[in-house]
Amino acid sequence: MKQLDYYVLDVFTDQKYKGNQLSVVCIDQELDMDQYYDISREFGYSETSFVHYSEEEKVFKVRSFTPAKFEVAGAGHNLLGAVCLALIKKWNVFSHQGDSPWVKVKDIPVALRITEKNGLPYVGMKQKPAVMVGAVPDNIISEAIGLSSADLVLNGWPVQIVKTEVAHLMVPVCNAAVLESAIVNKRLLKAASQKYGFEGCYLFTTNDLEDGMAAESRFFNPGIGIDEDPATGTAAGPLAGYLQKLGYIEKNKDYLFLQGKFVAQPSTISVSVEEDGIWVSGSSTVVMEGKLFL
């Protein structure tokens, strides 16, 4: 019986039992697709990452899956947690890369910034510049998230599909009370995502915020089996680009987004928009480890 080491981390936080839960499984070779699917479903978190160091390519590689048999691309909590784990465990996977560390997620290269904060690794992941790729009528999305069109009024900002690596729908809402009151109709939201060409729905507000936060958000992606995600790096990057294009935040400055408060897993996501991309950063902490049997 083959055994694999696994770890569970809380991601986009420096506190245990906060942030977004991620299971990370160490493999020495690619698994069968059914094994990826079965293990991800067994853990039951929004995503499970599988990691190994490729001697041939000289790079740390990550593949991530949801319980609904969907392979995730992009630089989100799936990648941040895996990289933080490698640093916490002092795996020698970045030392040869000098001042320009990078990884591959689903065979896509992602540049990293590696520092330390509060005794934990603090990792930045570089996403592509944000691109506005479409819109969704207010009445369509308001019905899918249990709100009225009037609830989607915030500074005259539009409901907009924005893409860095992944296209997500940015949905401004008027205040934190409305943000909390949203109740998603999974069937309607999934149908809207298929019709208009976006993955997840990122509700956010810039009103009634906790100290130090530039925005507060909630993320829903029933199309890939995520009812509500406590931290979503692949959506925080597009939101940063969206807010910068609207003049709400500036380039080359760090901002914080709060997510996950309404599912009792508050997460802090740091973002910075630069000319050639968007940095999404945070910490992770290990809460569990053990053996998995194939």
Side-chain angles (χ1 to χ4, degrees), residues 264-286:
Q265 291 173 246
S267 308
T268 303
I269 306 171
S270 176
V271 296
S272 178
V273 180
E274 297 185 355
E275 194 64 38
D276 62 345
I278 299 171
W279 289 94
V280 176
S281 308
S283 292
S284 306
T285 180
V286 177

Side-chain angles (χ1 to χ4, degrees), residues 2 7 25 35 84 86 122 126 162 181-182 227 232 255 269:
K2 187 170 183 177
Y7 303 85
V25 179
Q35 291 176 312
C84 285
Y122 192 79
K126 192 174 187 180
V162 186
S181 69
D227 290 343
T232 315
Y255 295 90
I269 306 171

Side-chain angles (χ1 to χ4, degrees), residues 14-225:
D14 58 5
Q15 302 177 58
K16 291 179 175 61
Y17 311 114
K18 306 293 183 183
N20 200 355
Q21 300 153 312
L22 176 74
S23 43
V24 180
V25 179
C26 302
I27 59 177
D28 53 13
Q29 60 184 19
E30 293 287 349
L31 304 181
D32 296 336
M33 292 304 294
D34 284 343
Q35 291 176 312
Y36 287 125
Y37 298 153
D38 289 344
I39 292 168
S40 300
R41 187 178 65 252
E42 187 75 16
F43 278 111
Y45 299 127
S46 60
E47 294 167 23
T48 294
S49 291
F50 298 82
V51 302
H52 75 281
Y53 181 76
S54 170
E55 289 288 353
E56 181 181 359
E57 299 179 61
K58 304 297 182 187
V59 67
F60 189 57
K61 302 186 74 172
V62 181
R63 295 186 72 177
S64 305
F65 298 83
T66 76
K69 299 184 178 182
F70 184 88
E71 184 167 8
V72 176
H77 92 283
N78 61 307
L79 181 57
L80 177 62
V83 171
C84 285
L85 175 65
L87 296 167
I88 291 168
K89 292 298 181 180
K90 301 187 185 305
W91 295 338
N92 186 27
V93 295
F94 302 117
S95 60
H96 65 288
Q97 295 177 340
D99 295 330
S100 302
W102 62 287
V103 294
K104 275 190 174 181
V105 58
K106 198 180 176 182
D107 284 325
I108 300 168
V110 177
L112 304 174
R113 285 177 177 168
I114 296 173
T115 56
E116 187 175 294
K117 189 174 182 179
N118 298 325
L120 289 170
Y122 192 79
V123 175
M125 308 171 293
K126 192 174 187 180
Q127 298 182 6
K128 298 173 184 176
V131 178
M132 310 301 179
V133 295
V136 178
D138 288 6
N139 64 307
I140 297 293
I141 197 63
S142 62
E143 184 180 8
I145 59 178
L147 300 175
S148 70
S149 293
D151 293 327
L152 276 53
V153 175
L154 180 66
N155 301 327
W157 295 342
V159 175
Q160 183 80 52
I161 302 171
V162 186
K163 180 178 182 179
T164 54
E165 277 87 18
V166 181
H168 292 305
L169 184 66
M170 305 294 112
V171 182
V173 301
C174 56
N175 56 47
V178 168
L179 183 68
E180 182 177 11
S181 69
I183 300 175
V184 167
N185 181 311
K186 292 191 285 186
R187 179 184 62 82
L188 291 179
L189 184 56
K190 186 175 179 180
S193 70
Q194 292 171 341
K195 180 176 180 179
Y196 292 98
F198 63 89
E199 261 199 27
C201 178
Y202 208 39
L203 276 63
F204 75 93
T205 189
T206 56
N207 290 330
D208 307 325
L209 302 179
E210 296 188 11
D211 289 345
M213 297 296 161
E216 183 173 357
S217 60
R218 297 178 70 185
F219 180 82
F220 308 95
N221 194 346
I224 65 170

